[in-house]
Amino acid sequence: MEPISATIGSIVLFVIFVATVISIVRNPNHGFVGKLVWLIVVLLTSVIGSILWLLFGRGKVNR
């Protein structure tokens, strides 16, 4: 892999991680303990944790 594509991939993964953390912190459907558990899951599993949060953690989204 070339250095440029590796850097772009790292930036994309970092942006996804930051967006997931912000989403967890701002989510009204979970209390402190639930948010803490999700943050630990995302920190330990990175991209998989972000996908799990999007699929299962957000709860009901009001539109």
Side-chain angles (χ1 to χ4, degrees):
M1 193 188 275
E2 295 180 28
I4 296 287
S5 61
T7 304
I8 292 172
S10 298
I11 291 171
V12 169
L13 292 177
F14 180 73
V15 168
I16 290 170
F17 174 77
V18 170
T20 302
V21 169
I22 291 171
S23 176
I24 292 170
V25 171
R26 297 179 76 190
N27 189 303
N29 296 330
H30 297 285
F32 175 76
V33 175
K35 290 179 183 182
L36 185 63
V37 169
W38 273 110
L39 285 171
I40 291 170
V41 168
V42 169
L43 286 172
L44 293 177
T45 60
S46 188
V47 175
I48 295 172
S50 296
I51 293 169
L52 289 173
W53 167 254
L54 291 173
L55 292 175
F56 304 113
R58 295 185 330 167
K60 183 178 179 184
V61 178
N62 296 326
R63 295 187 187 214

